[in-house]
Amino acid sequence: MVKSRAARLGYADEMKVRDQLIKFGIEAVRVDRRLGQLGADQSCDLLLKYPNGKEKPLEQKRVKGGFKTIRKWLEGAPEGSLLTVTEPNKPTLIISTLDTHGELIK
């Protein structure tokens, strides 16, 4: 079966993220678990195993220029800064670059 261009690009980005995580000692395995597949009630693209033994699923999304404001906020902050985003009645999100995340867990 031939994959669409979007699917090929998405897969390439998943592998890019996986390779970046591995360089920080975070084991990253592509699982491609889809919602409803084999009874799954959640989906994820990678399963991460941190050096402390904890595991977390990772969902990778490919966007083109969708986060200009967020990137501008991080670029205006000191290097290695974290960004939190709050919304009423929603859990707080924390945003960082992959390099910052990797350095934090080392």
Side-chain angles (χ1 to χ4, degrees):
M1 182 168 109
V2 178
K3 288 186 177 182
S4 70
R5 180 176 188 274
R8 287 192 313 270
L9 290 171
Y11 175 81
D13 282 352
E14 289 170 11
M15 296 300 98
K16 177 183 172 184
V17 169
R18 181 200 65 185
D19 294 345
Q20 289 173 325
L21 289 164
I22 289 172
K23 82 176 182 186
F24 291 113
I26 302 168
E27 185 181 328
V29 178
R30 185 168 188 273
V31 293
D32 194 22
R33 188 177 303 149
R34 293 188 180 100
L35 189 64
Q37 184 181 34
L38 301 175
D41 57 350
Q42 296 179 331
S43 68
C44 71
D45 297 312
L46 298 169
L47 184 60
L48 308 182
K49 186 171 185 180
Y50 288 86
N52 64 4
K54 293 189 178 184
E55 292 185 357
K56 289 289 179 184
L58 182 138
E59 183 69 22
Q60 163 64 30
K61 295 296 179 196
R62 183 174 204 279
V63 295
K64 257 171 77 170
F67 297 105
K68 289 178 184 174
T69 302
I70 290 172
R71 289 192 180 278
K72 190 183 297 183
W73 289 335
L74 283 172
E75 288 168 3
E79 183 153 344
S81 290
L82 303 173
L83 171 68
T84 57
V85 179
T86 57
E87 295 177 273
N89 304 314
K90 301 282 184 183
T92 299
L93 299 175
I94 188 164
I95 301 166
S96 72
T97 64
L98 198 53
D99 286 341
T100 299
H101 180 76
E103 290 298 323
L104 287 172
I105 61 100
K106 271 189 166 182

